[in-house]
Every structure is written in C-alpha cells, then in structure tokens.
Amino acid sequence: MHSIDQPHSRTTPWALWLGLLVLAALWLGPLPAMSRTAFSAHMILHLGVVALAAPLLALGLFQAGVRVDGLRQLGHWTLAAFLLEMVVVWGWHAPTLHEAAARHLPMFMLQQISFLVVGLAVWLLGFGTRSVGAMALAILGFFLTFMHMSMLGLLLILARELIYPPDLCIGAFGFEQLDDQRFGGILMAAWGGAAYLVGGILLSIRLFAEMDRTTD
C-alpha cells in the first residue's frame, strides 16, 4: 500500500475547521449526557458524527491537499470501508452493545470513536478516488449504506415495543419512551439515509462527467 500523498495546497481548509467545530459541539455539548437516557439524543449524536462532522472533515482534508488515489486497489479499500461502516452501525445499535455504551463511559468512548473512524473512512475513500471503476464501487457503497440506514430506521419506527431498556429511552424533547425510540428511527431513516443518498448521487454525477471527459 502506498502512503497517502499530501501535496502542498494553498486552499484554506475551512471545512476541516468547521468539521472540528461541529465535532467539538457534539462531544463537548449536552448530547453525550442526554444520549444515555434518550435514544433520540443518541441518534442525533451518532448521525452528527457520521453524516455531518465526518464529511466536513473529509472535505477539509481534501482542501488541505490530502489524496488517497495513491492507494493500491482503492476500490477494494473503499468497499471494505462501507461494509465496516455497516457492521459498526448495526453492531452498536444491537440492544446489548447500545446498553453497554450507555452505561459505561469507556464503551461510550469506543462507540463514538468507531463512528468517527468509519464515517471518515467512508467519505474520504468514497470521494477520494479518481478511477471509473473505484468510483462505481463507491457509488454502490453509498447506496447500500442508504439502504441499511433506512432499514434500521424503519425497524425502530415500526417496533411495537421498546427494543432497549426503558431507562435508556426516558425521552427527550417531550417524547414518551416508545415515541423517543421511534423518533430515533425517523432520524436514522431520514437524516442518515438522505446523507448517503446525496453522497451517492453527487458521486454519480462526477462519474458521468469523468466518463464524458474520457470519451471526448
């Protein structure tokens, strides 16, 4: 594997600073404490990391000159990142691991760091590629992520009873317990699904533009 190239860039990485600011607001604000007793707050924190802070940080790294197209078999690495992201997201939303993260600070920290790592990997590798084949794999990854995020959200929305312990869904924003869990599902399906759908669409536009350029 080649190391990531970091050529000099004069572009101010405003997105990097904005991403760090968003991440600081998410992790140092009230959401970590709220997320331990309100599932909807947990979901805002989770999606804020993977679908807001992570793409901003990836864009900022690109602005700073970081390139990943020097990696061998980039398409395989990109697809692996999307698959790992799915495992991490579904794993931490399994009742046992979600409860462990809510009740134990080290598990919570591990959860949040893993969210950031897979989120950053997805956006950095997904948009860092330049070859047509790797872009096609990244587009597939974005649409698969859109689908599994939406599916997890629907499972939470349609659940007739609490999936998680009642004291972890006490509720926030005036929601009752089951409504709190369902609102978390709505956030997952709407915000999470939409973010990766938009990512896939933008990358598709870029792919078609690249194909048109190479055929001219």
Side-chain angles (χ1 to χ4, degrees):
M1 182 192 303
H2 294 299
S3 61
I4 296 178
D5 297 325
Q6 301 185 42
H8 178 71
S9 174
R10 295 182 180 179
T11 304
T12 302
W14 59 266
L16 182 62
W17 294 111
L18 182 57
L20 290 172
L21 181 62
V22 169
L23 197 60
L26 291 169
W27 283 351
L28 301 179
L31 282 175
M34 293 173 62
S35 68
R36 295 189 166 192
T37 57
F39 185 76
S40 54
H42 155 79
M43 196 61 73
I44 293 173
L45 181 60
H46 165 215
L47 295 173
V49 171
V50 302
L52 183 57
L56 283 171
L57 290 172
L59 177 59
L61 290 173
F62 291 142
Q63 290 176 338
V66 171
R67 295 291 179 267
V68 298
D69 49 294
L71 295 172
R72 292 178 181 175
Q73 299 180 326
L74 179 58
H76 297 125
W77 283 102
T78 302
L79 193 56
F82 279 102
L83 292 175
L84 180 61
E85 189 272 348
M86 181 175 67
V87 171
V88 168
V89 169
W90 281 79
W92 282 114
H93 287 93
T96 301
L97 284 182
H98 177 75
E99 182 178 1
R103 300 194 190 283
H104 305 289
L105 182 59
M107 292 294 288
F108 175 78
M109 294 173 64
L110 178 61
Q111 178 198 66
Q112 294 301 307
I113 291 172
S114 64
F115 283 157
L116 179 61
V117 168
V118 296
L120 187 57
V122 161
W123 293 100
L124 193 60
L125 293 173
F127 280 90
T129 181
R130 296 182 180 181
S131 71
V132 170
M135 274 193 278
L137 285 176
I139 291 168
L140 175 62
F142 273 112
F143 282 106
L144 287 175
T145 305
F146 157 71
M147 291 176 62
H148 86 72
M149 286 277 197
S150 300
M151 286 176 59
L152 179 56
L154 286 174
L155 285 175
L156 294 166
I157 293 168
L158 298 176
R160 296 185 178 182
E161 57 186 25
L162 289 174
I163 298 174
Y164 306 105
D167 62 318
L168 303 185
C169 299
I170 292 177
F173 318 113
F175 289 112
E176 298 295 333
Q177 290 176 314
L178 188 55
D179 290 334
D180 179 62
Q181 181 178 279
R182 287 172 174 166
F183 183 57
I186 291 171
L187 290 170
M188 172 68 82
W191 179 2
Y196 292 97
L197 178 61
V198 170
I201 291 172
L202 292 176
L203 196 56
S204 297
I205 294 172
R206 180 182 162 195
L207 173 61
F208 291 136
E210 179 66 20
M211 293 173 66
D212 288 341
R213 188 185 66 82
T214 56
T215 55
D216 289 341

